[in-house]
Every structure is written in C-alpha cells, then in structure tokens.
Amino acid sequence: MTKAHQHACLECDLLITMPRTISHRTNVHCPRCNHKIAIGHNNAKQYVLAMSVTALILMFIACTFSFISFSSNGQARTINLLQTSTELYSQEYYFVSFLVLSFIVLLPTLYLLSVCLIILNTYQRSHIFPSAKLGRLMSYILPWSMAEVFLIGVLVALIKVVDMADVSLAPSFWAYVIFAPLFTHIASIVDNHRLWSWIDNAK
Ligand SMILES: [Zn+2]
C-alpha cells in the first residue's frame, strides 16, 4: 500500500485520510466510532492471490467428487454438492434451487475470480475486465456468499441423520470444509481500503 486515499467509515460515514503504509497486523480504526477500517498485511496481494487460487481449486474438487454417502437398511445413496440444488429443481422448487446454487457455489466462485482478476490487473496494462466494475461486483456479491452458513447447516443436519443411517463423508465434503473458512479468511483480508487501493494501482 503506497498510495494514500480517503475512505468513508462504513459505520458512521466519517471521511478518513488513510495512511500511506500500514504495518503488518496493525489495525486502522475510525477515530469517531472506533470501527475497524483496515488491517496491515505484508504481501497481501500475493497472499490473497495464492489463497484465492487455492480456494478455487477446492471449489472445483467440491463440485466434482461425491459429497456425502448414506446407507440404511441395505440401501445406499451418494450425493454430490451440486445435487443440493438439482434435487430442489427436480422437485419444482426452481427459485430456491437457483438461490442455493448461487449462495454456495456461483457467488463465492465469482467473488474469488474477481479478486484474482483485480490483482492480475495491477501487473498488466491492458485489462480484459475493468477493475472498478469487478470491485463493485464484489461488494454486491459478498453479503450473499453463504458458504459457511451452508456448512453449518450441513453439520447440524448430519447430527440429526447420524442416528438413522451410516454416514460417510466424501472428498467433496472435506474440500468444502476447508473452502468455507478459507473464503471467510480471504474476504476478511480484502477489506474495502485494500481492494480499492489495488483498483487504483491497476489504472
Ligand atoms: Zn466511524
């Protein structure tokens, strides 16, 4: 972070002139309401890029392999992550099916692809996708990305099902177990100040 710019506090709307550099793990708080504005991180750009690519690979694994297997009274059933949406679709819950697919797969993936493209745009002059539009898209997407909510829902459901059937957790489940907290970690590092300083650097 070398370029100073002003940043409006999300809590109280105070316009704050951000410091040119923020030391590693140092928090910048709003002087009026003490809301955390930004946190310093060495090599944030490279770190976030590496973590985002890792998260995208985990999402690919989560969508490719089996998620959970159930067996009870001699009958076995294996489901994959995308079936959480397609099963709803087959029961004619079209809108709910679309929302589930969006919240747990499409929007987190779109967020991660956007952050990767914004970081890559800081290294090159010609941009296929403009960083400012991607940044705005990420702001809209983030509140609707619910990977961790879905994971907690699955864990609660498993506690209820485990008495009724033999449950075995497949590779896709473990990939998503790592993906959900990793996504939250990435989103916590990509605060508005850092995101828009990358977008400024890309211009
Ligand atoms: Zn404030």
Side-chain angles (χ1 to χ4, degrees):
M1 282 182 225
T2 53
K3 205 171 180 178
H5 70 262
Q6 292 196 307
H7 186 95
C9 172
L10 286 175
E11 290 292 317
C12 71
D13 225 20
L14 179 71
L15 207 55
I16 302 155
T17 303
M18 298 296 291
R20 283 183 177 277
T21 54
I22 304 173
S23 308
H24 187 60
R25 292 188 177 171
T26 302
N27 292 328
V28 176
H29 291 274
C30 170
R32 185 156 69 188
C33 72
N34 210 32
H35 176 69
K36 192 163 88 176
I37 305 289
I39 181 167
H41 194 292
N42 285 346
N43 305 317
K45 211 191 291 185
Q46 293 85 344
Y47 180 77
V48 169
L49 184 61
M51 289 295 116
S52 299
V53 171
T54 306
L56 285 168
I57 293 168
L58 287 168
M59 177 59 93
F60 177 75
I61 294 169
C63 290
T64 309
F65 295 94
S66 304
F67 194 67
I68 294 175
S69 298
F70 302 95
S71 63
S72 178
N73 299 325
Q75 289 195 320
R77 174 92 200 268
T78 301
I79 61 162
N80 62 44
L81 183 64
L82 297 179
Q83 275 177 297
T84 54
S85 169
T86 55
E87 284 292 319
L88 287 167
Y89 189 86
S90 63
Q91 293 170 30
E92 300 186 353
Y93 293 110
Y94 304 121
F95 185 61
V96 179
S97 147
F98 171 72
L99 289 182
V100 168
L101 186 66
S102 300
F103 293 162
I104 66 172
V105 176
L106 297 181
L107 295 180
T109 303
L110 198 55
Y111 180 93
L112 292 168
L113 286 173
S114 300
V115 78
C116 288
L117 284 171
I118 287 173
I119 292 173
L120 292 175
N121 280 349
T122 65
Y123 294 109
Q124 59 187 9
R125 286 191 168 214
S126 58
H127 306 150
I128 302 167
F129 298 101
S131 294
K133 284 187 180 168
L134 289 172
R136 276 194 288 277
L137 180 69
M138 285 171 64
S139 307
Y140 296 134
I141 289 173
L142 189 57
W144 299 102
S145 299
M146 302 189 188
E148 71 281 27
V149 176
F150 169 74
L151 187 61
I152 291 166
V154 169
L155 293 175
V156 171
L158 277 181
I159 292 166
K160 292 186 176 180
V161 169
V162 81
D163 289 335
M164 295 184 276
D166 290 328
V167 178
S168 61
L169 306 171
S172 161
F173 175 85
W174 295 114
Y176 208 83
V177 163
I178 302 169
F179 172 84
L182 183 60
F183 181 82
T184 308
H185 176 60
I186 291 165
S188 73
I189 294 177
V190 185
D191 54 51
N192 274 340
H193 170 63
R194 177 165 288 123
L195 179 66
W196 286 95
S197 64
W198 288 342
I199 291 168
D200 281 346
N201 285 350
K203 283 177 185 170

